[in-house]
């Protein structure tokens, strides 16, 4: 349910080892300082591979449990570098909202015979 067209990828080299970057991504106080999400954003951990990768579901508050147009997945991938640092990759993928079952869309209507 994602579109590669809307995928945003950011990569860079960090001077800190993966374990230190991991702490910044998993300790709530550090994560809040680093990401600085808006007040109305909720983060929920979806997938974890310790010191290697983790994925958060990013959602605007008040959207409830159902998938909303503001939902996305944010994945952090950490790869150790030869110099003791970390190759950091962040991938942000908006989640597509399924069309309404009743088809509340404009367009031609087909009638049964």
């Amino acid at each position: 349910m994602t579109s590669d067209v809307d995928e945003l990828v950011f990569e860079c080299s960090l001077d800190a080892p993966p374990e230190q970057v991991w702490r910044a991504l998993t300790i709530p106080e550090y994560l809040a300082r680093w990401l600085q999400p808006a007040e109305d954003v909720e983060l929920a951990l979806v997938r974890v591979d310790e010191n290697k990768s983790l994925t958060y579901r990013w959602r605007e508050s008040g959207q409830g449990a159902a998938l909303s147009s503001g939902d996305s997945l944010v994945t952090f991938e950490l790869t150790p570098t030869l110099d003791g640092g970390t190759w950091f990759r962040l991938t942000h993928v908006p989640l597509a909202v399924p069309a309404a079952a009743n088809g509340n869309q404009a367009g031609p209507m087909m009638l049964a015979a």
Side-chain angles (χ1 to χ4, degrees), residues 51-107:
N51 291 324
K52 295 180 182 176
S53 71
L54 70 154
T55 300
Y56 285 102
R57 181 180 195 130
W58 186 286
R59 166 181 285 158
E60 292 182 29
S61 295
Q63 296 298 325
L67 188 64
S68 76
S69 61
D71 285 2
S72 58
L73 294 178
V74 178
T75 300
F76 301 94
E77 297 171 88
L78 310 176
T79 305
T81 59
L82 295 175
D83 63 358
T86 302
W87 183 253
F88 175 85
R89 178 182 170 101
L90 180 150
T91 306
H92 180 253
V93 180
L95 297 176
V97 178
N102 65 0
N104 286 334
Q105 302 173 16

Tab-separated table of all heavy atoms in Angstrom, residues 51-107:
chain	number	residue	atom	x	y	z
A	51	ASN	N	20.254	-2.163	16.887
A	51	ASN	CA	21.470	-1.512	16.389
A	51	ASN	C	21.615	-1.553	14.875
A	51	ASN	O	22.658	-1.186	14.338
A	51	ASN	CB	22.730	-2.085	17.045
A	51	ASN	CG	22.832	-1.721	18.501
A	51	ASN	OD1	22.462	-0.626	18.914
A	51	ASN	ND2	23.310	-2.649	19.303
A	52	LYS	N	20.559	-2.001	14.161
A	52	LYS	CA	20.623	-2.066	12.699
A	52	LYS	C	19.501	-1.281	12.029
A	52	LYS	O	19.752	-0.497	11.128
A	52	LYS	CB	20.586	-3.515	12.231
A	52	LYS	CG	21.796	-4.304	12.658
A	52	LYS	CD	21.717	-5.718	12.189
A	52	LYS	CE	22.943	-6.473	12.681
A	52	LYS	NZ	22.890	-7.883	12.333
A	53	SER	N	18.256	-1.524	12.437
A	53	SER	CA	17.156	-0.797	11.812
A	53	SER	C	15.932	-0.786	12.720
A	53	SER	O	15.754	-1.666	13.563
A	53	SER	CB	16.779	-1.412	10.457
A	53	SER	OG	16.144	-2.651	10.640
A	54	LEU	N	15.122	0.223	12.541
A	54	LEU	CA	13.833	0.287	13.210
A	54	LEU	C	12.882	1.122	12.382
A	54	LEU	O	13.287	1.995	11.626
A	54	LEU	CB	13.937	0.805	14.642
A	54	LEU	CG	14.278	2.251	14.884
A	54	LEU	CD1	13.704	2.662	16.230
A	54	LEU	CD2	15.773	2.404	14.937
A	55	THR	N	11.614	0.793	12.523
A	55	THR	CA	10.577	1.484	11.767
A	55	THR	C	9.522	1.988	12.732
A	55	THR	O	9.049	1.242	13.595
A	55	THR	CB	9.920	0.536	10.736
A	55	THR	OG1	10.940	0.079	9.837
A	55	THR	CG2	8.828	1.249	9.947
A	56	TYR	N	9.187	3.258	12.587
A	56	TYR	CA	8.111	3.875	13.350
A	56	TYR	C	6.943	4.157	12.417
A	56	TYR	O	7.139	4.504	11.252
A	56	TYR	CB	8.552	5.225	13.940
A	56	TYR	CG	9.472	5.136	15.121
A	56	TYR	CD1	10.835	5.350	14.988
A	56	TYR	CD2	8.969	4.872	16.386
A	56	TYR	CE1	11.683	5.297	16.079
A	56	TYR	CE2	9.803	4.816	17.489
A	56	TYR	CZ	11.163	5.025	17.331
A	56	TYR	OH	11.988	4.972	18.416
A	57	ARG	N	5.727	4.037	12.947
A	57	ARG	CA	4.546	4.521	12.245
A	57	ARG	C	4.353	5.959	12.723
A	57	ARG	O	4.304	6.229	13.906
A	57	ARG	CB	3.320	3.687	12.577
A	57	ARG	CG	2.101	4.164	11.821
A	57	ARG	CD	0.904	3.305	12.178
A	57	ARG	NE	-0.118	3.546	11.202
A	57	ARG	CZ	-0.767	2.616	10.558
A	57	ARG	NH1	-0.522	1.358	10.809
A	57	ARG	NH2	-1.678	2.929	9.681
A	58	TRP	N	4.271	6.872	11.800
A	58	TRP	CA	4.150	8.310	12.062
A	58	TRP	C	2.709	8.684	11.775
A	58	TRP	O	2.214	8.464	10.676
A	58	TRP	CB	5.106	9.034	11.124
A	58	TRP	CG	5.248	10.497	11.297
A	58	TRP	CD1	4.354	11.452	10.942
A	58	TRP	CD2	6.377	11.190	11.827
A	58	TRP	NE1	4.846	12.688	11.209
A	58	TRP	CE2	6.090	12.557	11.759
A	58	TRP	CE3	7.596	10.773	12.341
A	58	TRP	CZ2	6.988	13.521	12.191
A	58	TRP	CZ3	8.484	11.741	12.760
A	58	TRP	CH2	8.181	13.090	12.697
A	59	ARG	N	1.999	9.220	12.769
A	59	ARG	CA	0.582	9.535	12.612
A	59	ARG	C	0.249	10.836	13.324
A	59	ARG	O	0.733	11.099	14.407
A	59	ARG	CB	-0.249	8.398	13.205
A	59	ARG	CG	-1.707	8.762	13.392
A	59	ARG	CD	-2.497	7.646	13.998
A	59	ARG	NE	-2.685	6.657	12.950
A	59	ARG	CZ	-2.955	5.395	13.170
A	59	ARG	NH1	-3.045	4.940	14.385
A	59	ARG	NH2	-3.141	4.572	12.172
A	60	GLU	N	-0.606	11.623	12.685
A	60	GLU	CA	-1.091	12.827	13.337
A	60	GLU	C	-2.066	12.434	14.426
A	60	GLU	O	-2.876	11.532	14.244
A	60	GLU	CB	-1.780	13.737	12.323
A	60	GLU	CG	-0.821	14.334	11.321
A	60	GLU	CD	-1.508	15.273	10.352
A	60	GLU	OE1	-2.520	15.880	10.731
A	60	GLU	OE2	-1.027	15.375	9.218
A	61	SER	N	-1.989	13.080	15.595
A	61	SER	CA	-2.869	12.753	16.720
A	61	SER	C	-4.331	12.896	16.337
A	61	SER	O	-4.685	13.687	15.468
A	61	SER	CB	-2.592	13.682	17.907
A	61	SER	OG	-1.302	13.467	18.389
A	62	GLY	N	-5.154	12.105	17.005
A	62	GLY	CA	-6.585	12.197	16.798
A	62	GLY	C	-7.091	11.467	15.577
A	62	GLY	O	-8.260	11.526	15.240
A	63	GLN	N	-6.215	10.731	14.889
A	63	GLN	CA	-6.638	10.025	13.686
A	63	GLN	C	-7.250	8.667	14.011
A	63	GLN	O	-7.803	8.024	13.145
A	63	GLN	CB	-5.462	9.849	12.720
A	63	GLN	CG	-4.913	11.153	12.195
A	63	GLN	CD	-5.929	11.928	11.390
A	63	GLN	OE1	-6.747	11.374	10.691
A	63	GLN	NE2	-5.898	13.246	11.520
A	64	GLY	N	-7.120	8.193	15.262
A	64	GLY	CA	-7.697	6.910	15.634
A	64	GLY	C	-6.901	5.755	15.067
A	64	GLY	O	-5.816	5.914	14.547
A	65	ALA	N	-7.480	4.562	15.167
A	65	ALA	CA	-6.784	3.348	14.749
A	65	ALA	C	-6.829	3.144	13.244
A	65	ALA	O	-6.009	2.452	12.680
A	65	ALA	CB	-7.391	2.139	15.452
A	66	ALA	N	-7.811	3.709	12.571
A	66	ALA	CA	-7.937	3.513	11.123
A	66	ALA	C	-6.829	4.253	10.392
A	66	ALA	O	-6.312	5.259	10.852
A	66	ALA	CB	-9.296	4.010	10.650
A	67	LEU	N	-6.470	3.740	9.249
A	67	LEU	CA	-5.460	4.364	8.398
A	67	LEU	C	-5.961	5.725	7.941
A	67	LEU	O	-7.089	5.853	7.502
A	67	LEU	CB	-5.196	3.451	7.194
A	67	LEU	CG	-4.053	3.810	6.275
A	67	LEU	CD1	-2.728	3.723	7.024
A	67	LEU	CD2	-4.029	2.860	5.094
A	68	SER	N	-5.118	6.747	8.072
A	68	SER	CA	-5.507	8.082	7.629
A	68	SER	C	-4.511	8.591	6.602
A	68	SER	O	-3.439	8.032	6.428
A	68	SER	CB	-5.560	9.050	8.821
A	68	SER	OG	-4.263	9.411	9.216
A	69	SER	N	-4.866	9.674	5.928
A	69	SER	CA	-4.004	10.214	4.876
A	69	SER	C	-2.694	10.765	5.428
A	69	SER	O	-1.757	10.976	4.678
A	69	SER	CB	-4.746	11.307	4.102
A	69	SER	OG	-5.078	12.360	4.981
A	70	GLY	N	-2.604	10.978	6.754
A	70	GLY	CA	-1.377	11.493	7.352
A	70	GLY	C	-0.444	10.406	7.861
A	70	GLY	O	0.592	10.702	8.420
A	71	ASP	N	-0.807	9.146	7.670
A	71	ASP	CA	0.014	8.048	8.159
A	71	ASP	C	1.204	7.793	7.239
A	71	ASP	O	1.089	7.891	6.026
A	71	ASP	CB	-0.794	6.752	8.240
A	71	ASP	CG	-1.753	6.741	9.418
A	71	ASP	OD1	-1.826	7.746	10.140
A	71	ASP	OD2	-2.424	5.716	9.607
A	72	SER	N	2.331	7.441	7.845
A	72	SER	CA	3.495	7.054	7.066
A	72	SER	C	4.382	6.156	7.910
A	72	SER	O	4.201	6.041	9.124
A	72	SER	CB	4.263	8.289	6.594
A	72	SER	OG	4.653	9.078	7.686
A	73	LEU	N	5.310	5.494	7.254
A	73	LEU	CA	6.313	4.686	7.937
A	73	LEU	C	7.656	5.379	7.780
A	73	LEU	O	8.015	5.818	6.690
A	73	LEU	CB	6.384	3.282	7.335
A	73	LEU	CG	5.151	2.410	7.516
A	73	LEU	CD1	5.344	1.070	6.818
A	73	LEU	CD2	4.846	2.201	8.990
A	74	VAL	N	8.392	5.469	8.885
A	74	VAL	CA	9.716	6.070	8.879
A	74	VAL	C	10.692	4.992	9.342
A	74	VAL	O	10.585	4.498	10.463
A	74	VAL	CB	9.786	7.305	9.796
A	74	VAL	CG1	11.190	7.886	9.806
A	74	VAL	CG2	8.773	8.353	9.366
A	75	THR	N	11.604	4.608	8.459
A	75	THR	CA	12.577	3.557	8.762
A	75	THR	C	13.968	4.148	8.845
A	75	THR	O	14.383	4.909	7.976
A	75	THR	CB	12.535	2.456	7.683
A	75	THR	OG1	11.219	1.890	7.648
A	75	THR	CG2	13.547	1.360	7.977
A	76	PHE	N	14.678	3.771	9.909
A	76	PHE	CA	16.069	4.172	10.110
A	76	PHE	C	16.936	2.929	9.947
A	76	PHE	O	16.674	1.911	10.579
A	76	PHE	CB	16.278	4.736	11.516
A	76	PHE	CG	15.425	5.931	11.823
A	76	PHE	CD1	14.202	5.781	12.462
A	76	PHE	CD2	15.841	7.197	11.475
A	76	PHE	CE1	13.412	6.880	12.760
A	76	PHE	CE2	15.051	8.303	11.773
A	76	PHE	CZ	13.847	8.142	12.412
A	77	GLU	N	17.942	3.009	9.099
A	77	GLU	CA	18.878	1.903	8.906
A	77	GLU	C	20.277	2.391	9.268
A	77	GLU	O	20.702	3.453	8.816
A	77	GLU	CB	18.845	1.419	7.469
A	77	GLU	CG	17.484	0.863	7.065
A	77	GLU	CD	17.401	0.584	5.584
A	77	GLU	OE1	17.776	-0.534	5.193
A	77	GLU	OE2	16.982	1.498	4.838
A	78	LEU	N	20.971	1.601	10.085
A	78	LEU	CA	22.298	1.961	10.566
A	78	LEU	C	23.293	0.900	10.117
A	78	LEU	O	23.116	-0.284	10.401
A	78	LEU	CB	22.298	2.039	12.096
A	78	LEU	CG	21.180	2.871	12.736
A	78	LEU	CD1	21.261	2.770	14.251
A	78	LEU	CD2	21.237	4.304	12.273
A	79	THR	N	24.350	1.334	9.443
A	79	THR	CA	25.385	0.418	8.975
A	79	THR	C	26.729	0.918	9.486
A	79	THR	O	27.087	2.081	9.248
A	79	THR	CB	25.407	0.371	7.428
A	79	THR	OG1	24.093	0.035	6.964
A	79	THR	CG2	26.399	-0.646	6.928
A	80	PRO	N	27.472	0.052	10.194
A	80	PRO	CA	28.792	0.488	10.680
A	80	PRO	C	29.729	0.803	9.510
A	80	PRO	O	29.698	0.122	8.486
A	80	PRO	CB	29.320	-0.716	11.468
A	80	PRO	CG	28.267	-1.744	11.461
A	80	PRO	CD	27.176	-1.321	10.533
A	81	THR	N	30.533	1.829	9.684
A	81	THR	CA	31.539	2.176	8.677
A	81	THR	C	32.921	1.750	9.182
A	81	THR	O	33.106	1.498	10.378
A	81	THR	CB	31.526	3.686	8.373
A	81	THR	OG1	31.777	4.408	9.584
A	81	THR	CG2	30.189	4.124	7.789
A	82	LEU	N	33.873	1.652	8.275
A	82	LEU	CA	35.220	1.195	8.630
A	82	LEU	C	35.921	2.116	9.629
A	82	LEU	O	36.777	1.680	10.386
A	82	LEU	CB	36.075	1.043	7.371
A	82	LEU	CG	35.611	-0.050	6.401
A	82	LEU	CD1	36.468	-0.028	5.138
A	82	LEU	CD2	35.651	-1.413	7.064
A	83	ASP	N	35.537	3.395	9.639
A	83	ASP	CA	36.182	4.351	10.544
A	83	ASP	C	35.509	4.426	11.916
A	83	ASP	O	35.803	5.302	12.710
A	83	ASP	CB	36.250	5.737	9.899
A	83	ASP	CG	34.873	6.336	9.630
A	83	ASP	OD1	33.846	5.672	9.909
A	83	ASP	OD2	34.824	7.480	9.125
A	84	GLY	N	34.579	3.503	12.208
A	84	GLY	CA	33.911	3.484	13.513
A	84	GLY	C	32.644	4.308	13.572
A	84	GLY	O	31.998	4.383	14.606
A	85	GLY	N	32.272	4.913	12.469
A	85	GLY	CA	31.050	5.713	12.421
A	85	GLY	C	29.862	4.896	11.935
A	85	GLY	O	29.866	3.656	11.992
A	86	THR	N	28.865	5.589	11.437
A	86	THR	CA	27.626	4.952	10.987
A	86	THR	C	27.175	5.541	9.664
A	86	THR	O	27.158	6.761	9.501
A	86	THR	CB	26.493	5.181	12.023
A	86	THR	OG1	26.916	4.660	13.283
A	86	THR	CG2	25.197	4.530	11.607
A	87	TRP	N	26.814	4.665	8.723
A	87	TRP	CA	26.120	5.112	7.521
A	87	TRP	C	24.650	5.099	7.892
A	87	TRP	O	24.103	4.074	8.276
A	87	TRP	CB	26.404	4.219	6.325
A	87	TRP	CG	25.745	4.755	5.098
A	87	TRP	CD1	24.651	4.256	4.458
A	87	TRP	CD2	26.114	5.929	4.379
A	87	TRP	NE1	24.319	5.048	3.386
A	87	TRP	CE2	25.198	6.086	3.320
A	87	TRP	CE3	27.133	6.876	4.543
A	87	TRP	CZ2	25.274	7.146	2.413
A	87	TRP	CZ3	27.194	7.926	3.641
A	87	TRP	CH2	26.282	8.047	2.590
A	88	PHE	N	24.011	6.252	7.818
A	88	PHE	CA	22.642	6.455	8.280
A	88	PHE	C	21.723	6.612	7.075
A	88	PHE	O	22.008	7.399	6.171
A	88	PHE	CB	22.606	7.715	9.144
A	88	PHE	CG	21.247	8.128	9.603
A	88	PHE	CD1	20.696	7.571	10.740
A	88	PHE	CD2	20.522	9.083	8.904
A	88	PHE	CE1	19.437	7.962	11.174
A	88	PHE	CE2	19.267	9.468	9.328
A	88	PHE	CZ	18.720	8.914	10.463
A	89	ARG	N	20.645	5.850	7.065
A	89	ARG	CA	19.652	5.950	5.981
A	89	ARG	C	18.271	6.069	6.611
A	89	ARG	O	17.868	5.231	7.402
A	89	ARG	CB	19.718	4.718	5.090
A	89	ARG	CG	18.689	4.723	3.974
A	89	ARG	CD	18.804	3.428	3.161
A	89	ARG	NE	17.716	3.278	2.236
A	89	ARG	CZ	17.775	3.524	0.944
A	89	ARG	NH1	18.892	3.962	0.416
A	89	ARG	NH2	16.729	3.355	0.179
A	90	LEU	N	17.554	7.132	6.263
A	90	LEU	CA	16.182	7.348	6.710
A	90	LEU	C	15.283	7.255	5.486
A	90	LEU	O	15.550	7.908	4.472
A	90	LEU	CB	16.050	8.733	7.346
A	90	LEU	CG	14.680	9.121	7.871
A	90	LEU	CD1	14.825	10.070	9.041
A	90	LEU	CD2	13.790	9.734	6.818
A	91	THR	N	14.246	6.429	5.574
A	91	THR	CA	13.280	6.298	4.489
A	91	THR	C	11.899	6.629	5.030
A	91	THR	O	11.463	6.046	6.017
A	91	THR	CB	13.284	4.863	3.911
A	91	THR	OG1	14.615	4.522	3.529
A	91	THR	CG2	12.368	4.761	2.707
A	92	HIS	N	11.238	7.574	4.399
A	92	HIS	CA	9.898	8.010	4.799
A	92	HIS	C	8.930	7.627	3.686
A	92	HIS	O	9.086	8.075	2.549
A	92	HIS	CB	9.896	9.521	5.027
A	92	HIS	CG	8.575	10.059	5.438
A	92	HIS	ND1	7.786	10.792	4.590
A	92	HIS	CD2	7.893	9.956	6.597
A	92	HIS	CE1	6.671	11.136	5.221
A	92	HIS	NE2	6.709	10.634	6.424
A	93	VAL	N	7.960	6.771	4.017
A	93	VAL	CA	7.020	6.277	3.020
A	93	VAL	C	5.593	6.584	3.471
A	93	VAL	O	5.112	6.022	4.452
A	93	VAL	CB	7.164	4.742	2.822
A	93	VAL	CG1	6.180	4.242	1.778
A	93	VAL	CG2	8.585	4.385	2.450
A	94	PRO	N	4.896	7.481	2.763
A	94	PRO	CA	3.489	7.725	3.084
A	94	PRO	C	2.671	6.480	2.757
A	94	PRO	O	2.935	5.794	1.770
A	94	PRO	CB	3.086	8.879	2.161
A	94	PRO	CG	4.356	9.420	1.616
A	94	PRO	CD	5.382	8.335	1.692
A	95	LEU	N	1.707	6.179	3.616
A	95	LEU	CA	0.837	5.033	3.370
A	95	LEU	C	-0.395	5.496	2.609
A	95	LEU	O	-0.990	6.516	2.933
A	95	LEU	CB	0.412	4.389	4.691
A	95	LEU	CG	1.560	3.812	5.512
A	95	LEU	CD1	1.051	3.289	6.847
A	95	LEU	CD2	2.270	2.718	4.741
A	96	ALA	N	-0.756	4.743	1.606
A	96	ALA	CA	-1.938	5.070	0.800
A	96	ALA	C	-3.194	4.760	1.603
A	96	ALA	O	-3.256	3.772	2.326
A	96	ALA	CB	-1.932	4.262	-0.491
A	97	VAL	N	-4.179	5.599	1.464
A	97	VAL	CA	-5.467	5.381	2.109
A	97	VAL	C	-6.358	4.642	1.141
A	97	VAL	O	-6.540	5.086	0.001
A	97	VAL	CB	-6.116	6.726	2.523
A	97	VAL	CG1	-7.480	6.490	3.139
A	97	VAL	CG2	-5.207	7.465	3.486
A	98	PRO	N	-6.914	3.486	1.544
A	98	PRO	CA	-7.783	2.754	0.624
A	98	PRO	C	-9.007	3.572	0.234
A	98	PRO	O	-9.508	4.358	1.022
A	98	PRO	CB	-8.198	1.512	1.414
A	98	PRO	CG	-7.517	1.589	2.729
A	98	PRO	CD	-6.791	2.887	2.829
A	99	ALA	N	-9.473	3.367	-0.986
A	99	ALA	CA	-10.674	4.060	-1.459
A	99	ALA	C	-11.879	3.570	-0.667
A	99	ALA	O	-11.924	2.422	-0.221
A	99	ALA	CB	-10.877	3.796	-2.943
A	100	ALA	N	-12.847	4.423	-0.502
A	100	ALA	CA	-14.062	4.061	0.229
A	100	ALA	C	-14.782	2.928	-0.491
A	100	ALA	O	-14.847	2.890	-1.720
A	100	ALA	CB	-14.977	5.272	0.340
A	101	ALA	N	-15.328	1.997	0.284
A	101	ALA	CA	-16.024	0.848	-0.288
A	101	ALA	C	-17.256	1.261	-1.081
A	101	ALA	O	-17.639	0.603	-2.047
A	101	ALA	CB	-16.415	-0.122	0.817
A	102	ASN	N	-17.855	2.373	-0.697
A	102	ASN	CA	-19.049	2.818	-1.413
A	102	ASN	C	-18.703	3.634	-2.650
A	102	ASN	O	-19.592	4.101	-3.349
A	102	ASN	CB	-19.972	3.612	-0.484
A	102	ASN	CG	-19.350	4.900	-0.001
A	102	ASN	OD1	-18.218	5.216	-0.352
A	102	ASN	ND2	-20.069	5.636	0.827
A	103	GLY	N	-17.415	3.797	-2.914
A	103	GLY	CA	-16.967	4.461	-4.135
A	103	GLY	C	-17.414	5.899	-4.262
A	103	GLY	O	-17.847	6.327	-5.325
A	104	ASN	N	-17.313	6.678	-3.214
A	104	ASN	CA	-17.687	8.080	-3.254
A	104	ASN	C	-16.740	8.869	-4.142
A	104	ASN	O	-16.064	9.776	-3.710
A	104	ASN	CB	-17.689	8.689	-1.850
A	104	ASN	CG	-18.857	8.234	-1.032
A	104	ASN	OD1	-19.888	7.875	-1.576
A	104	ASN	ND2	-18.700	8.253	0.283
A	105	GLN	N	-16.670	8.499	-5.368
A	105	GLN	CA	-15.795	9.176	-6.308
A	105	GLN	C	-16.615	9.655	-7.484
A	105	GLN	O	-17.562	9.015	-7.910
A	105	GLN	CB	-14.720	8.207	-6.805
A	105	GLN	CG	-13.877	7.631	-5.681
A	105	GLN	CD	-12.951	6.553	-6.209
A	105	GLN	OE1	-12.716	6.437	-7.401
A	105	GLN	NE2	-12.402	5.789	-5.315
A	106	ALA	N	-16.216	10.790	-8.017
A	106	ALA	CA	-16.891	11.309	-9.199
A	106	ALA	C	-16.484	10.474	-10.405
A	106	ALA	O	-15.400	9.913	-10.441
A	106	ALA	CB	-16.525	12.766	-9.421
A	107	GLY	N	-17.307	10.372	-11.379
A	107	GLY	CA	-16.968	9.627	-12.571
A	107	GLY	C	-18.198	8.916	-13.119
A	107	GLY	O	-19.265	8.972	-12.534
